[in-house]
Amino acid sequence: MPKMDPFYESVVIVGRYSHHGVDMTLARKLTKRFLTFGKRDFTFVSVSDLPRPDGVWTSGTVSVVTEAMPRAGGYVRGFQDSIAFYRRMDGGRTHVTIVCRIDLNDSGEGGGGGGIPMWLYVKTIGTTGVSAMMTMKRLIDNTSLV
């Protein structure tokens, strides 16, 4: 996790579950972003599925609000939901499609809000996504898969 997200502070795994080939992880991730975004608290279920019959592997995260993980003091609750599809291509390449929704302003029920304007999301989300993909590629290229 820290290699994929340079703003990563910590991840706490609350539980791991598996059912019929679907793996789920309930977790909290704390981040310390650059000045504009401040410190964020994400609580989510990460889901990884068996490859579909066409070979496409699917994974995703869904934000959750649960008493098991109340808001962390000093952090603004963020919500980030995503789904990703990974399809192998010829030549050892992979086609990746990611769809995500992000809310860094704690607009959920009981949330204290945040001060990040929507135009800033729009300006940075594309660059952030590309940066994450480039980091993933660099890590894969530098990792020996045995």
Side-chain angles (χ1 to χ4, degrees):
M1 181 72 71
K3 291 180 181 178
M4 289 300 298
D5 185 349
F7 306 109
Y8 159 92
E9 190 173 321
S10 68
V11 168
V12 175
I13 305 298
V14 176
R16 294 184 191 273
Y17 315 92
S18 186
H19 182 71
H20 296 294
V22 177
D23 295 318
M24 295 170 276
T25 303
L26 177 62
R28 160 179 273 144
K29 176 174 122 173
L30 299 177
T31 63
K32 48 186 175 191
R33 302 275 178 193
F34 49 89
L35 182 62
T36 306
F37 293 111
K39 293 165 52 172
R40 294 294 184 261
D41 165 29
F42 297 91
T43 56
F44 58 92
V45 173
S46 177
V47 181
S48 176
D49 200 355
L50 291 171
R52 301 183 324 202
D54 63 0
V56 173
W57 179 63
T58 307
S59 69
T61 61
V62 178
S63 297
V64 295
V65 176
T66 172
E67 292 178 9
M69 295 183 290
R71 285 174 169 80
Y75 290 79
V76 174
R77 175 64 52 93
F79 299 94
Q80 181 175 338
D81 304 319
S82 67
I83 186 164
F85 301 94
Y86 304 87
R87 181 174 46 91
R88 283 192 181 159
M89 299 174 63
D90 294 334
R93 296 170 29 135
T94 301
H95 182 267
V96 179
T97 302
I98 299 176
V99 179
C100 72
R101 177 198 73 86
I102 189 165
D103 171 9
L104 299 177
N105 283 331
D106 198 4
S107 61
E109 186 175 326
I116 302 173
M118 185 53 71
W119 66 265
L120 191 55
Y121 283 127
V122 174
K123 288 273 192 193
T124 62
I125 191 66
T127 304
T128 302
V130 169
S131 175
M133 292 300 101
M134 295 305 292
T135 300
M136 185 185 304
K137 182 182 182 323
R138 189 172 50 255
L139 289 171
I140 290 170
D141 288 347
N142 294 328
T143 302
S144 173
L145 301 176
V146 179

